[in-house]
Amino acid sequence: MSSRTVGSLRHRVRAAALQALFELDQTTHDLDSVVARISDDEMFSAEGRDFFARIVNGAWTNRQTIDDLITKVAPSWPVHQMPGVDIAVLRIALFEILYDAAADKAPVKAVINEAVELAKHFGSDNSGRFVNGVLSTVVNKPESEE
């Protein structure tokens, strides 16, 4: 599979993950049901299904720790007051950067670029800059401050 195809698949998966996390945050729907339904709707390949399930489950399972980190780096923007799209994009990206242990893990720069693009496409006028700022702060923060 070419890198362009993988990039395109990952883009589609991240956009669907954004939808899944937004839904999970706004409803009482079951995680496994949401993952199965959206994965079926998107007709992902086996590789796409695995990546989708991994990032949705990982971002959702680690959301409290991720939200705490967002609160530390963006204290003037309480997570509970953030637009749902922004928080979902940040949860996906921070899961991939900090917690995803997969062998085919995307480079940090690619994850940030993709998160900014998703935020610009699905969020408000300021979402791309906000997401970039939060992710850049987390990535560039010295380990002694974490």
Side-chain angles (χ1 to χ4, degrees), residues 22 25-26 63 66-91 94 123-124 126-127 130-131 133-135 138:
F22 186 87
D25 221 19
Q26 303 296 317
R63 71 186 179 281
I66 292 169
D67 291 358
D68 291 346
L69 178 59
I70 294 167
T71 299
K72 277 185 193 171
V73 299
S76 58
W77 289 95
V79 171
H80 68 277
Q81 292 180 357
M82 266 183 216
V85 168
D86 294 2
I87 191 64
V89 169
L90 286 169
R91 285 173 176 164
L94 289 169
S124 69
N126 296 319
S127 292
F130 176 71
V131 165
V134 170
L135 295 177
V138 169

Side-chain angles (χ1 to χ4, degrees), residues 3-116:
S3 63
R4 181 112 172 106
T5 306
V6 169
S8 177
L9 173 64
R10 287 185 177 239
H11 175 79
R12 284 183 48 226
V13 167
R14 288 184 183 108
L18 167 60
Q19 177 186 346
L21 291 171
F22 186 87
E23 178 179 338
L24 289 165
D25 221 19
Q26 303 296 317
T27 68
T28 58
H29 297 167
D30 174 67
L31 172 66
D32 294 333
S33 300
V34 170
V35 168
R37 188 189 77 251
I38 293 176
S39 194
D40 287 346
D41 289 351
E42 293 292 330
M43 295 186 288
F44 291 132
S45 63
E47 178 186 0
R49 283 179 178 277
D50 290 346
F51 183 53
F52 177 72
R54 185 172 85 221
I55 63 174
V56 173
N57 281 301
W60 189 247
T61 302
N62 291 289
R63 71 186 179 281
Q64 189 58 59
T65 307
I66 292 169
D67 291 358
D68 291 346
L69 178 59
I70 294 167
T71 299
K72 277 185 193 171
V73 299
S76 58
W77 289 95
V79 171
H80 68 277
Q81 292 180 357
M82 266 183 216
V85 168
D86 294 2
I87 191 64
V89 169
L90 286 169
R91 285 173 176 164
I92 292 166
L94 289 169
F95 166 73
E96 283 193 74
I97 292 167
L98 300 172
Y99 299 100
D100 191 6
D104 65 343
K105 181 176 176 172
V108 170
K109 200 169 203 161
V111 172
I112 292 173
N113 288 341
E114 182 71 19
V116 170

